[in-house]
Amino acid sequence: GINAEYGGINVYLEKFYFDNEDEASGAADNEQSDTYRLMVEQLNRLKKKVRVIIIVGYARDILFVLKTANKLGMNNGHFAFITQEFIQAELDKTDKQLVESINGVIDLEPFQNKSDVNYISFSTSVKSIVEEQGYKKTDKDVVNLVAAQMYDAVWLYAKAMSLALEQGVSIDNGEELVSIMSELKWTGKSGEIVIDEFGDRMGNVQIMNIQDGEFQHVGTWWMSRSKQLDLAKDSDNKTQIIWPGNPESEPVACGRQYELCQSESDAMAKIILMALVCMAFLFGLLVRLYLYNRTNK
């Protein structure tokens, strides 16, 4: 693992290793596998260092981590789990262990307004092309947001190059192109297009919370808006965030069963035990000194 600091927050980076797809997908159910034992070691190490665990990876890998964490008792209200684009995973909601393992997870997704006219029109056009060309289809009502993002990315580059040529700037000048992009703002097929000074899109993020196997929208991070409006709860204010272990409001520092903290009686018992050990050691030392002095008289 690697210790780092970001924005005044201590961060611990840990990479999970999987030999292959089949092993990762079934390792959580095979406690004898090397992959499972390695995961247990890594999670036990994390338990001592962090309370918020961010998991980035394929859906099968995220499931493996969450199911193993559940077996280790980490769904006790002491830890919070955050994932990225986990909503695209195909989940077996009849699997009680799986539902229990993912309950309370916070998932961050690119904001997708399925009622947006531009997005619906784009989705319809893409589905029509897929049908005509005989490509593999999905059962979803709209196309994946990534397709719309790629479409907007091509338009962004094309707009930037067009403006560069109008201003007499070489299209090979990457820094100037990024500068031009940062001045472009419009509503594309995937939503608001706002580029920062580094050439990165300030994409809006919807905050999902897994509750009983269902992804519930609980808020939105508006990165494209002003700082005063950048984070908003669900507009109807009815969906409350739940955390692993179902604590009343937020992750509980000592766990739902208070198993991660010491009570006063536990602490006193440890102090008494340490005192007895010290007294036994001193008593043994005094006996040896007495015997040594007696022998050498």
Side-chain angles (χ1 to χ4, degrees), residues 33-50:
S33 69
D34 292 336
T35 302
Y36 177 81
R37 286 196 289 267
L38 178 60
M39 176 59 63
V40 170
E41 291 179 8
Q42 291 180 295
L43 288 175
N44 280 329
R45 188 160 55 243
L46 282 176
K47 288 166 65 175
K48 301 175 183 178
K49 297 177 179 290
V50 300

Side-chain angles (χ1 to χ4, degrees), residues 1 19-20 29 41 64 75-76 92 137 188 207 209 219 221 252 260 266:
D19 292 339
N20 55 61
D29 300 318
E41 291 179 8
F64 174 39
N75 287 22
N76 55 8
D92 180 6
K137 297 184 292 184
I207 305 170
N209 184 216
W221 184 10
V252 182
L260 297 173
D266 292 335

Side-chain angles (χ1 to χ4, degrees), residues 50-63:
V50 300
R51 288 188 61 197
V52 179
I53 300 175
I54 302 174
I55 311 170
V56 179
Y58 293 111
R60 65 174 188 271
D61 301 334
I62 294 174
L63 277 174

Side-chain angles (χ1 to χ4, degrees), residues 288-297:
R288 292 191 64 180
L289 286 173
Y290 171 76
L291 294 176
Y292 175 80
N293 291 330
R294 185 176 178 181
T295 303
N296 288 283
K297 281 185 178 180

Side-chain angles (χ1 to χ4, degrees), residues 10-16 39-40 42-56 61-62 65-66 68-70 72-76 78-84 104-108 243-244 251:
N10 291 324
V11 179
Y12 183 77
L13 305 177
E14 182 89 25
K15 183 175 182 180
F16 298 114
M39 176 59 63
V40 170
Q42 291 180 295
L43 288 175
N44 280 329
R45 188 160 55 243
L46 282 176
K47 288 166 65 175
K48 301 175 183 178
K49 297 177 179 290
V50 300
R51 288 188 61 197
V52 179
I53 300 175
I54 302 174
I55 311 170
V56 179
D61 301 334
I62 294 174
V65 176
L66 292 174
T68 306
N70 184 42
L72 295 178
M74 296 176 69
N75 287 22
N76 55 8
H78 181 67
F79 302 95
F81 296 91
I82 301 175
T83 60
Q84 180 184 16
V105 168
I106 295 292
D107 189 46
L108 305 180
W243 302 95

Side-chain angles (χ1 to χ4, degrees), residues 49-254:
K49 297 177 179 290
V50 300
R51 288 188 61 197
V52 179
I53 300 175
I54 302 174
I55 311 170
V56 179
Y58 293 111
R60 65 174 188 271
D61 301 334
I62 294 174
L63 277 174
F64 174 39
V65 176
L66 292 174
K67 289 176 75 172
T68 306
N70 184 42
K71 288 184 177 181
L72 295 178
M74 296 176 69
N75 287 22
N76 55 8
H78 181 67
F79 302 95
F81 296 91
I82 301 175
T83 60
Q84 180 184 16
E85 298 186 57
F86 187 45
I87 195 172
Q88 300 180 24
E90 295 183 4
L91 304 175
D92 180 6
K93 297 173 185 176
T94 63
D95 186 338
K96 293 183 179 180
Q97 183 191 30
L98 184 148
V99 173
E100 181 182 281
S101 300
I102 65 177
N103 205 43
V105 168
I106 295 292
D107 189 46
L108 305 180
E109 306 289 329
F111 179 76
Q112 182 177 3
N113 184 2
K114 294 183 179 180
S115 63
D116 180 71
V117 175
N118 286 334
Y119 184 67
I120 293 174
S121 174
F122 172 78
S123 181
T124 301
S125 298
V126 171
K127 292 179 74 174
S128 177
I129 294 173
V130 169
E131 185 73 31
E132 292 174 2
Q133 299 297 324
Y135 297 140
K136 183 179 179 181
K137 297 184 292 184
T138 66
D139 297 329
K140 295 185 177 181
D141 296 331
V142 292
V143 300
N144 193 301
L145 183 63
V146 175
Q149 291 172 332
M150 292 298 295
Y151 181 92
D152 288 336
V154 172
W155 266 109
L156 172 65
Y157 191 57
K159 287 174 179 285
M161 286 196 298
S162 177
L163 288 173
L165 292 173
E166 290 178 7
Q167 299 172 13
V169 176
S170 171
I171 60 175
D172 295 325
N173 190 329
E175 290 185 1
E176 285 297 328
L177 283 176
V178 169
S179 177
I180 293 173
M181 287 180 185
S182 65
E183 298 175 0
L184 295 174
K185 295 181 180 180
W186 85 97
T187 300
K189 305 300 184 184
S190 60
E192 298 174 273
I193 311 296
V194 181
I195 308 299
D196 65 14
E197 65 272 21
F198 304 107
D200 296 323
R201 179 178 178 179
M202 299 177 67
N204 299 318
V205 177
Q206 57 186 7
I207 305 170
M208 312 297 289
N209 184 216
I210 305 180
Q211 302 181 10
D212 297 324
E214 300 290 342
F215 287 82
Q216 302 292 341
H217 180 245
V218 294
T220 305
W221 184 10
W222 299 101
M223 297 177 65
S224 63
R225 300 184 179 182
S226 65
K227 292 295 183 182
Q228 290 76 20
L229 300 173
D230 60 355
L231 186 61
K233 283 196 66 178
D234 191 9
S235 58
D236 61 16
N237 203 28
K238 294 179 181 178
T239 306
Q240 299 296 322
I241 296 176
I242 68 167
W243 302 95
N246 290 319
E248 285 74 12
S249 58
E250 58 188 24
V252 182
C254 295

